[in-house]
Amino acid sequence: GEIVARASSDTNFSRALRGGGIGVHYPCYVPRPEVTMSGLKYWDSEDQGILGDWSGAACWGRTMNRNFVRMNITSTIARSALWSVYTDVSAESE
């Protein structure tokens, strides 16, 4: 998108990104070849919330593997990696 285009046309901007990457919010397993071709690292800046059980852990493992294998995403951030509430406060999952 816009960041890749600007990095291609603006030398100073490109230098500022060197060694860094482009974060995509919820990439949804859709490869973006323009990011890969830019030479920048490709990051998932936020992905799904997961359950705090073995099923959630398996889902998280699949997500990270898909991100890397399908899109060469080298970093994935989980939404709600840690969740806690007081026992007398209702939560969405209840």
Side-chain angles (χ1 to χ4, degrees):
E2 292 177 38
I3 293 175
V4 174
R6 181 158 178 209
S8 299
S9 64
D10 184 336
T11 309
N12 289 328
F13 187 70
S14 179
R15 252 187 252 131
L17 293 177
R18 193 172 302 133
I22 293 177
V24 178
H25 199 72
Y26 288 93
C28 301
Y29 314 122
V30 178
R32 291 186 173 78
E34 68 275 10
V35 176
T36 306
M37 292 173 19
S38 73
L40 295 166
K41 294 173 186 162
Y42 190 12
W43 296 330
D44 179 352
S45 60
E46 182 179 335
D47 217 307
Q48 62 193 337
I50 53 172
L51 297 175
D53 58 13
W54 287 111
S55 185
C59 181
W60 185 234
R62 285 189 301 274
T63 296
M64 288 190 294
N65 280 308
R66 277 190 202 119
N67 282 351
F68 184 74
V69 171
R70 292 184 183 177
M71 299 175 291
N72 199 31
I73 287 180
T74 57
S75 178
T76 301
I77 297 173
R79 178 181 63 83
S80 302
L82 177 66
W83 175 259
S84 64
V85 294
Y86 290 107
T87 55
D88 58 345
V89 176
S90 65
E92 292 177 31
S93 62
E94 293 184 338

